[in-house]
């Protein structure tokens, strides 16, 4: 197992290197001149030229990359051009929001999705199955921003149950914090919920048709034991993979959700700075998100190996 | 100051002291009457309905102006404001994008009268101009910065020395490149020596010359200066949680002992316009900026809310590249100016907000000429101009426009207006900054954008139409206009300058390097607030000043 994890880690090193280059270079693909965008509409051409020089924007791309990578290796992601705030600080300050949001969203998706999928598979063609299919379809089809507005209109404006927007930190007031995250998390998690429901249902149906299930039942095991110990454990393998992959889309989804609900998270940091062309921040956040993605993929592989011993020995 | 057409919010700041109500209402009457605004605009019911029956839906535009439900100000209380866009920085010497918060805690030597846009005392109580290159300011006494440092002549000098220091590389330095030196006469008197006469100096001071405590400039970290620079304003920055909220607190030692009335202001950053409006309706906010145009009607219909707006100093226009075909020909440019139906554009394209623009001088500016109207929609005149240009059957060109739906819709209306003459306009949409870069490089035929302007007419003309202007993206060169504009910025007499600017405007309109379309009301960028907010007055510079605002106790 240790060897397996070690090998996976080593394999990701070239990926990380390649990643840093793309993360660095992609900023130069954003149309528009960073100096012009950053200084705004009132800056004179001289001011822009001076600025470009100050930020070393005149140097060749590879030289700039080298300088940047050298600093990144030492844990220095640079300083925001607009606010002088160190990028790493900006990320750390916003990380708890995004993590909480993603965690609640994922919990919602798993707690709702897996039982619903199991229910749908065991009571095939029942009303539960219909609900599961509907949720699966709606989750895939309904854009987050639309669902967000619907939820806000109904839950917050019409019934006044939850605040429309804003963020309360967990340490400040756990209850209010949960309330402030509930709508965004449900919105964010809904697509994942749909995917997980569908996947659980399909996987369960497949497993329930297998011979060992018939054998388990023939052994006289209780149906509950058959379902949970035998069927679900096997059916969960593709669900785990899917969940790992969905983590990435969760983090991507926060860009829209955080903007709509006015949450100060990583997604907001990213998108606002893309518009503002604050390139050190864009690069820093991109790199950070890419590394998280890499880490979740790695974790998925490991978890997969734990659940399915065959993977370890391949 | 180029603005991203109709979507980009605000601009330069300045501070307006309180004004007499009568005078203010007079200005409003000016805004609605002498502009040739009929007092009727289509109801705000969505563009389709209007296109079908613009007349039926007509009703007077309530330019709000909150019947200033004045009364006796009650000190205390707090205000929660929904902001669509977070300021990029609070450092007045950095690249500013949004002055809404800055203008609450930083002040300049002079302010601007909200109706005449002329300089009035603020941190300077009086000034004297012994010769055109020398300004002597008498400073207000007993003024403190938020960090306790006294505001005096040394502080003035320190701020300007800092701003003009090449090491600091402030983007604001170019606004004051005519300042030769700042001299401290005594503790409360300071003299500015200019390199050349500059009639726009006071207005530039008002908009760009903010003061931050010299102690902070010397000892504070860059990050702290970006978030909470100590100024002399009525409020000070208590906290700024990025992307979440900005909290301002009353400055207890403010030089005006009576004001401000509010104890604190909390700005909530809510970039989604729909959510911001819902939060306002749900009672989470007392005040919202940049109300989506589609929400204005509903807000106006609700008596518990007040919708506020004012004519702005900017204009919207189509930039024509005068150095590339087909618009290197003045006749071709004029043909466009003859074809555009501005009233229709406003009725259909911007839900009735704005007034037709015929030139760069905007309604709130003192040089504005309400009778100036060289172009009215005329196919005949356009045909004649096209014949003179040697293209009697029209021509084809491409217009670049940012990919906001509102702007594209406006340009589609113009597309239709040009079509009868045989002129085909195709649209190229893209991200605003990307388009702007190509426009600056001269790689375009036509481009739609907004200019935010400023209190002084120079701001609306020199940068864009002087051959050496920084924003002369139309690459316009007319020696006569150059001479008029240079002369106008070198003198201070308002009457004299008005004449010069009007002359220059005539030349510019005749040469048509831009097709002027619309003076925006500040309406799509309008604001709304609840009944408990009192004493608020919208200003043409689109700051939201809360110095005079109080809230009714709940």
């Amino acid at each position: 197992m240790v060897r397996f994890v070690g090998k996976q880690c080593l394999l990701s090193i070239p990926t990380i290197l390649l990643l840093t280059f793309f993360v660095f270079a992609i900023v130069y693909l954003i149309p528009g001149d960073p100096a012009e965008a950053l200084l705004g509409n009132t800056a004179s051409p001289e001011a822009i030229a001076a600025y470009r020089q100050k930020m070393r924007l005149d140097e060749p791309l590879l030289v700039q990359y080298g300088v940047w990578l050298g600093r990144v290796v030492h844990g220095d992601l640079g300083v925001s051009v607009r606010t002088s705030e160190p990028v790493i600080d900006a990320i750390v300050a916003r990380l708890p929001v995004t993590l909480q949001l993603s965690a609640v969203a994922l919990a919602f998706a798993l707690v709702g999705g897996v039982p619903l999928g199991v229910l749908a598979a065991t009571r095939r063609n029942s009303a539960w199955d219909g609900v599961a299919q509907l949720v699966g379809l709606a989750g895939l089809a309904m854009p987050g921003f639309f669902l967000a507005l619907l939820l806000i209109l109904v839950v917050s404006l019409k019934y006044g149950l939850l605040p429309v927007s804003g963020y309360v930190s967990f340490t400040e007031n756990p209850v209010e914090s949960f309330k402030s995250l509930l709508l965004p998390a449900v919105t964010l998690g809904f697509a994942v919920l749909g995917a997980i429901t569908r996947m659980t249902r399909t996987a369960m149906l497949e497993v329930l048709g297998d011979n060992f299930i018939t054998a388990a039942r023939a052994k006289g095991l209780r149906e509950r034991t058959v379902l949970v110990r035998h069927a679900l454990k096997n059916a969960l393998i593709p669900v785990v993979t899917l969940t790992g992959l969905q983590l990435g889309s969760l983090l991507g989804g926060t860009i829209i959700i955080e903007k709509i609900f006015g949450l100060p998270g990583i997604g907001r940091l990213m998108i606002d700075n893309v518009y503002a062309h604050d390139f050190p921040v864009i690069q820093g956040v991109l790199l950070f998100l890419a590394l998280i993605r890499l880490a979740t993929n790695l974790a998925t592989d490991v978890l997969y190996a734990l659940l399915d011993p065959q993977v370890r020995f391949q | 100051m180029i603005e991203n057409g109709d979507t980009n919010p605000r601009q330069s700041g300045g501070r307006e002291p309180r004004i007499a109500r009568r005078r203010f209402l007079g200005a409003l009457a000016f805004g609605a009457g002498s502009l040739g605004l009929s007092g009727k605009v289509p109801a705000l019911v969505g563009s389709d309905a209007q296109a079908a029956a613009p007349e039926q839906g007509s009703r007077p535009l309530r330019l709000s102006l909150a019947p200033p439900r004045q009364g006796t100000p009650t000190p205390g209380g707090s205000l929660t404001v929904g902001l669509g866009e977070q300021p990029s920085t609070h450092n007045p010497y950095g690249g500013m994008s949004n002055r809404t918060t800055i203008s609450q805690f930083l002040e300049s030597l002079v302010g601007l009268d909200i109706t005449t846009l002329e300089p009035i005392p603020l941190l300077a109580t009086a000034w004297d101009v012994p010769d055109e290159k020398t300004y002597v300011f008498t400073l207000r006494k007993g003024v403190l910065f938020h960090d306790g440092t006294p505001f005096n002549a040394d502080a003035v000098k320190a701020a300007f020395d800092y701003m003009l220091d090449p090491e600091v590389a402030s983007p604001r330095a170019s606004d004051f490149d005519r300042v030769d030196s700042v001299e401290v006469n005594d503790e409360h008197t300071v003299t500015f020596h200019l390199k050349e006469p500059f009639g726009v100096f006071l207005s530039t001071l008002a908009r760009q010359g903010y003061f931050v405590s010299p102690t902070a400039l010397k000892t504070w970290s860059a990050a702290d200066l970006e978030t909470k620079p100590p100024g002399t304003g009525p409020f000070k920055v208590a906290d700024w949680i990025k992307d979440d909220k900005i909290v301002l607190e009353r400055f207890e030692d403010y030089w005006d002992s009576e004001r401000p009335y509010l104890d604190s202001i909390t700005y909530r950053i809510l970039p989604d316009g729909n959510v911001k409006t819902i939060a306002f309706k749900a009672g989470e906010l007392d005040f919202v900026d940049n109300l989506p145009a589609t929400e204005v009607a509903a807000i106006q219909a609700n008596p518990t809310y007040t919708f506020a707006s004012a004519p702005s100093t900017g204009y919207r226009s189509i930039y024509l590249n005068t150095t590339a075909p087909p618009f290197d020909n003045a006749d071709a440019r004029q043909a466009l100016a003859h074809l555009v139906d501005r009233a229709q554009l406003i009725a259909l394209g911007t839900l009735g907000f704005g007034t037709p623009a015929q030139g760069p001088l905007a309604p709130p500016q003192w040089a504005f000429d309400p009778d100036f109207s060289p172009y009215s929609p005329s196919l005949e005149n356009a045909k004649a101009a096209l014949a003179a240009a040697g293209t009697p059957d029209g021509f084809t060109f491409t217009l670049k426009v940012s990919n906001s739906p509102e702007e594209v819709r406006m340009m589609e209306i113009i597309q239709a207006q040009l079509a009868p003459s045989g002129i085909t306009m195709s649209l190229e949409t893209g991200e605003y900054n990307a388009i702007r870069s190509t426009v600056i490089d001269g790689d375009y035929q036509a481009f739609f954008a907004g200019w935010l302007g400023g209190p002084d007419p120079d701001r609306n003309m020199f940068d864009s139409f002087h051959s050496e202007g920084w924003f002369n993206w139309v690459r316009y060169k007319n020696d006569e206009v150059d001479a008029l504009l240079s002369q106008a910025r070198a003198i201070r007499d308002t009457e004299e300058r008005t004449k010069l600017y009007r002359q220059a405007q005539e030349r510019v309109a005749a040469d048509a390097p831009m097709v002027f379309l619309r003076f925006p009301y500040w309406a799509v960028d309008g604001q709304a607030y609840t009944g408990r907010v009192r004493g608020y007055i919208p200003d043409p510079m689109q700051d939201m000043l809360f110095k005079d605002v109080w809230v009714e106790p709940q």
Side-chain angles (χ1 to χ4, degrees):
Chain A
M1 191 66 205
V2 175
R3 271 191 61 194
F4 174 79
V5 175
K7 195 177 141 201
Q8 295 292 328
C9 285
L10 279 179
L11 276 176
S12 46
I13 289 177
T15 320
I16 293 177
L17 265 180
L18 202 64
L19 201 83
T20 57
F21 182 74
F22 279 115
V23 160
F24 181 83
I26 204 161
V27 172
Y28 292 85
L29 296 178
I30 301 178
D33 182 284
E36 275 165 21
L38 276 165
L39 293 186
N41 292 321
T42 54
S44 68
E46 297 116 73
I48 289 172
Y51 196 78
R52 218 174 258 152
Q53 208 169 15
K54 186 173 153 195
M55 299 310 296
R56 307 178 72 166
L57 290 170
D58 291 335
E59 295 188 36
L61 188 61
L62 276 177
V63 173
Q64 291 187 48
Y65 173 62
V67 172
W68 179 76
L69 192 63
R71 285 193 288 112
V72 167
V73 170
H74 289 97
D76 176 11
L77 289 177
V79 171
S80 160
V81 181
R82 288 187 305 160
T83 64
S84 307
E85 189 184 15
V87 174
I88 194 85
D89 290 359
I91 292 175
V92 168
R94 288 164 171 84
L95 194 57
V97 182
T98 304
L99 285 185
Q100 274 185 67
L101 175 63
S102 308
V104 180
L106 192 66
F108 166 73
L110 283 173
V111 169
V114 172
L116 193 59
V118 172
L119 218 55
T122 50
R123 294 171 172 70
R124 205 171 167 189
N125 295 330
S126 71
W128 282 110
D129 196 13
V131 170
Q133 304 252 32
L134 191 72
V135 167
L137 204 64
L140 288 180
M142 180 115 69
F145 58 87
F146 182 65
L147 182 63
L149 286 179
L150 276 186
L151 285 176
I152 291 176
L153 273 178
V154 176
V155 179
S156 300
L157 191 61
K158 188 132 185 251
Y159 297 106
L161 299 175
L162 293 168
V164 175
S165 64
Y167 171 71
V168 182
S169 79
F170 188 76
T171 47
E172 200 177 311
N173 184 337
V175 176
E176 286 301 314
S177 175
F178 182 71
K179 278 167 93 177
S180 73
L181 282 175
L182 199 55
L183 281 191
V186 166
T187 313
L188 184 61
F190 192 65
V192 184
L193 172 85
I196 288 180
T197 308
R198 282 170 75 99
M199 182 57 91
T200 312
R201 179 180 176 275
T202 316
M204 276 299 275
L205 281 176
E206 208 182 301
V207 173
L208 284 173
D210 276 355
N211 288 338
F212 74 93
I213 295 292
T214 319
R217 283 188 177 133
K219 251 188 336 189
L221 288 181
R222 279 187 306 155
E223 184 63 17
R224 195 188 166 83
T225 317
V226 173
L227 282 182
V228 177
R229 290 271 306 276
H230 295 269
L232 187 59
K233 192 173 173 193
N234 282 288
L236 273 186
I237 292 174
V239 176
V240 168
T241 316
L242 180 78
T243 309
L245 293 176
Q246 292 285 337
L247 263 181
S249 70
L250 268 186
L251 285 174
T254 57
I255 291 181
I256 296 170
I257 300 301
E258 288 175 357
K259 187 137 190 163
I260 293 182
F261 287 94
L263 300 174
I266 297 273
R268 274 285 285 292
L269 184 66
M270 175 78 189
I271 194 72
D272 289 351
N273 284 293
V274 168
Y275 284 128
H277 288 58
D278 196 335
F279 51 97
V281 184
I282 306 173
Q283 288 163 340
V285 177
L286 257 184
L287 183 67
F288 182 78
L289 287 179
L291 288 179
I292 286 199
R293 184 77 198 253
L294 214 63
T296 54
N297 283 0
L298 196 67
T300 312
D301 282 347
V302 172
L303 199 60
Y304 208 67
L306 279 176
L307 281 173
D308 184 356
Q310 294 171 58
V311 177
R312 265 176 271 171
F313 302 111
Q314 266 168 12
Chain B
M1 278 169 268
I2 282 283
E3 179 191 18
N4 185 356
D6 279 271
T7 51
N8 197 335
R10 64 207 50 269
Q11 73 144 357
S12 22
R15 37 203 28 267
E16 278 51 87
R18 91 203 124 135
I19 55 157
R21 180 181 164 194
R22 193 154 46 98
R23 209 167 160 204
F24 178 60
L25 292 178
L28 295 173
F30 168 75
S34 53
L35 297 190
L37 178 72
S38 66
K40 287 207 160 192
V41 296
L44 306 169
V45 289
S47 52
D48 289 346
Q50 282 170 25
E55 278 312 313
Q56 284 172 358
S58 291
R59 70 175 158 119
L61 170 64
R62 268 197 285 154
L63 231 196
S64 124
L65 310 162
R69 272 174 298 193
Q70 306 296 31
T72 323
T74 322
S78 63
L79 195 68
T80 309
V81 182
L83 269 193
E85 190 196 18
Q86 175 171 251
S88 57
T89 170
H90 276 168
N91 182 349
Y93 313 128
M96 270 186 283
S97 65
N98 181 332
R99 304 198 186 212
T100 311
T101 48
I102 274 194
S103 50
Q104 320 292 341
F105 57 84
L106 298 178
E107 290 179 328
S108 328
L109 284 178
V110 295
L112 290 173
D113 185 297
I114 204 167
T115 56
T116 62
L117 297 184
E118 300 222 52
I120 49 169
L122 191 61
L123 286 179
T125 49
W127 53 88
D128 187 30
V129 189
D131 67 77
E132 289 299 320
K133 292 201 284 185
T134 311
Y135 286 72
V136 183
F137 293 93
T138 309
L139 305 182
R140 190 177 294 278
K141 288 175 189 158
V143 177
L144 289 180
F145 286 102
H146 302 151
D147 65 350
T149 309
F151 169 80
N152 53 26
D154 289 322
V156 173
K157 183 169 167 57
F160 276 85
D161 287 351
Y162 180 86
M163 200 186 329
L164 298 172
D165 183 351
E167 283 289 301
V168 175
S170 164
R172 298 274 79 79
S174 50
D175 292 318
F176 292 103
D177 56 4
R178 281 170 206 80
V179 173
D180 188 39
S181 63
V182 181
E183 185 193 338
V184 175
N185 303 38
D186 60 54
E187 192 176 359
H188 298 293
T189 323
V190 66
T191 305
F192 281 73
H193 298 284
L194 305 188
K195 292 173 188 158
E196 55 192 81
F198 189 45
V200 196
F201 183 56
L202 288 177
S203 143
T204 312
L205 273 184
R207 301 301 283 169
Q208 320 282 357
Y210 289 121
F211 292 103
V212 171
S213 156
T215 321
L217 287 180
K218 250 182 260 157
T219 57
W220 282 32
S221 73
D224 280 345
L225 281 178
E226 299 282 348
T227 47
K228 37 182 138 184
T232 62
F235 297 93
K236 58 182 179 182
V237 186
D239 200 6
W240 181 358
I241 302 173
K242 294 280 164 67
D243 290 334
D244 187 17
K245 62 184 172 191
I246 298 170
V247 182
L248 305 185
E249 269 170 12
R250 181 190 152 91
F251 175 42
E252 294 300 336
D253 295 323
Y254 187 56
W255 52 264
D256 181 342
S257 56
E258 211 179 303
R259 279 170 296 172
Y261 304 116
L262 294 168
D263 283 341
S264 70
I265 308 172
T266 303
Y267 293 91
R268 297 259 315 273
I269 319 288
L270 297 169
D272 187 287
N274 288 315
V275 172
K276 189 174 61 184
T277 314
I278 295 172
F280 176 67
K281 289 178 180 167
E284 290 177 20
L285 307 170
D286 301 307
F287 205 109
V288 279
D289 75 336
N290 293 6
L291 201 66
T294 43
E295 292 284 350
V296 172
I299 295 288
Q300 280 185 322
N302 189 327
T304 53
Y305 303 138
T306 306
F307 173 74
S309 188
S312 86
T313 54
Y315 56 82
R316 307 269 189 264
S317 64
I318 293 177
Y319 287 59
L320 302 174
N321 185 345
T322 62
T323 56
F327 298 119
D328 49 356
N329 181 318
D331 290 309
R333 302 196 295 264
Q334 284 162 0
L336 248 55
H338 281 301
L339 285 166
V340 171
D341 184 343
R342 296 163 179 81
Q344 188 186 48
L345 184 71
I346 291 166
L348 303 183
T350 60
L351 303 180
F353 287 113
T355 48
Q358 294 276 0
L361 298 173
Q365 292 171 332
W366 35 259
F368 176 67
D369 180 0
D371 300 322
F372 181 67
S373 183
Y375 295 103
S376 50
S378 158
L379 188 57
E380 244 171 77
N381 291 346
K383 281 279 184 199
L386 279 176
T391 50
D393 300 323
F395 52 84
T396 303
F397 72 98
T398 304
L399 175 129
K400 295 189 177 185
V401 55
S402 109
N403 47 17
S404 102
E406 296 84 23
E407 291 182 21
V408 171
R409 190 176 64 190
M410 285 186 71
M411 291 306 104
E412 283 167 351
I413 294 169
I414 290 187
Q415 225 169 14
Q417 292 175 347
L418 300 182
S421 68
I423 297 178
T424 310
M425 175 170 97
S426 46
L427 301 183
E428 183 185 323
T429 61
E431 198 264 333
Y432 176 74
N433 282 312
I435 295 182
R436 191 178 62 160
S437 282
T438 65
V439 168
I440 293 173
D441 295 340
D443 176 21
Y444 78 109
Q445 290 179 307
F447 167 56
F448 173 68
W451 181 254
L452 283 162
D456 195 286
D458 181 77
R459 265 294 193 198
N460 284 31
M461 295 204 70
F462 192 95
D463 289 343
S464 306
F465 302 111
H466 193 285
S467 57
E468 284 167 17
W470 291 336
F471 301 98
N472 189 345
W473 296 345
V474 291
R475 308 189 163 216
Y476 176 62
K477 183 163 171 37
N478 179 324
D479 293 338
E480 201 183 340
V481 171
D482 279 5
L484 285 166
L485 293 179
S486 297
Q487 196 189 343
R489 68 158 36 177
I491 54 177
R492 291 187 307 120
D493 183 82
T494 306
E495 257 176 58
E496 194 76 7
R497 292 183 69 202
T498 300
K499 274 186 214 149
L500 295 171
Y501 282 122
R502 288 185 177 180
Q503 276 178 39
Q505 169 170 264
E506 258 173 52
R507 298 282 171 288
V508 168
D511 286 338
M514 285 188 197
V515 181
F516 299 96
L517 299 177
R518 177 172 90 91
F519 295 120
Y521 268 148
W522 190 40
V524 180
D525 288 345
Q527 306 152 339
Y529 50 92
T530 58
R532 63 188 283 260
V533 180
R534 301 292 160 90
Y536 177 73
I537 291 168
D539 71 286
M541 270 83 62
Q542 312 189 3
D543 294 338
M544 289 191 281
L545 296 169
F546 294 126
K547 183 174 165 180
D548 297 304
V549 167
W550 74 96
V551 288
E552 287 292 297
Q554 277 168 321

